[in-house]
Amino acid sequence: TGLARLALRGGEIGAARSLCRRALDVVATTSETRGRSSAIHVLSVAAQMNGDLEEARDLMHERLQLERETGSLRLVAAECSNLSAVERQLGNITEARDLVLQALDIESQQDDVWSVPYSLNQLAAIEAHSGDMSRAATLLAIAARMIEEQGAGWPPDEEPVFEQTRRASAEALGEADFARAWTAGAAMAWREAAALAQPR
């Protein structure tokens, strides 16, 4: 699965899928869950990146159920965020919003600052889809600052979402309004962002 993650970063989706299936074969006759969960996750991301959204959704539901059974709230939150992205692409905006808000709620309770920017990235895309470009730009700015502070980079499934939402909000708002929204977001603490994310 580790090799599959590297393959995804290199754009080798077919190789990533093959490696994940090999990983699942290894644990097929065992009760092991951590490696199984990781392989299902990467396989679902590969499916999503390849445009196989129904397959991605099925795999994400499988992993979500697995993590709920094992009691890993952090990974439940991560999978809610991932599944939100797929539901948004399938046009299920209400469900996508509910899922990402579940993720943010768990992340806030656990002070999981590493995961928050990914959920904010997904929520920003939902806001842009719903026409609230100022809110989308503000949420993106918070997410971008947190990623920079952590010294991280956007994963291959998250970066296109970030770039598309930033481009759409900048074009819709115009240079001055986009800059104002971005500056406001960049100055926010992450808990302010979590509060901003809640339904109005």
Side-chain angles (χ1 to χ4, degrees):
T1 303
L3 291 171
R5 290 177 185 271
L6 292 175
L8 271 191
R9 286 191 177 275
E12 300 175 34
I13 295 175
R17 288 174 129 170
S18 177
L19 286 161
C20 285
R21 292 189 183 104
R22 286 171 58 189
L24 289 172
D25 286 344
V26 170
V27 297
T29 59
T30 75
S31 59
E32 196 278 341
T33 59
R34 192 53 44 226
R36 186 189 311 277
S37 174
S38 183
I40 292 170
H41 166 64
V42 179
L43 196 57
S44 72
V45 172
Q48 180 186 355
M49 290 173 65
N50 203 46
D52 301 325
L53 298 179
E54 299 288 350
E55 178 185 350
R57 179 166 61 180
D58 289 345
L59 288 163
M60 288 175 182
H61 275 294
E62 182 179 350
R63 188 191 190 214
L64 189 56
Q65 181 61 32
L66 179 62
E67 293 304 341
R68 282 179 172 148
E69 289 171 358
T70 58
S72 175
L73 282 178
R74 183 181 68 83
L75 292 178
V76 166
E79 210 54 39
C80 281
S81 184
N82 293 332
L83 187 53
S84 171
V86 171
E87 294 293 0
R88 174 179 53 79
Q89 291 174 81
L90 288 168
N92 303 322
I93 302 304
T94 298
E95 187 161 357
R97 188 185 296 276
D98 288 346
L99 283 161
V100 80
L101 289 176
Q102 286 180 51
L104 280 167
D105 184 53
I106 294 170
E107 290 157 1
S108 297
Q109 290 177 36
Q110 298 198 325
D111 291 327
D112 187 359
V113 295
W114 186 88
S115 298
V116 167
Y118 304 106
S119 293
L120 293 178
N121 187 38
Q122 295 301 331
L123 183 57
I126 292 168
E127 296 295 358
H129 183 278
S130 301
D132 195 337
M133 295 301 186
S134 179
R135 190 173 167 90
T138 301
L139 292 168
L140 273 192
I142 304 162
R145 192 200 71 234
M146 293 180 76
I147 289 289
E148 184 177 353
E149 287 173 349
Q150 293 170 15
W154 291 109
D157 57 324
E158 294 274 356
E159 185 174 18
V161 178
F162 176 81
E163 294 297 343
Q164 289 165 12
T165 307
R166 180 169 63 175
R167 188 164 51 249
S169 57
E171 290 174 358
L173 290 171
E175 185 175 347
D177 286 344
F178 177 78
R180 273 192 290 272
W182 192 272
T183 301
M188 282 187 182
W190 76 266
R191 286 203 173 276
E192 290 180 276
L196 177 67
Q198 296 307 308
R200 291 155 293 178

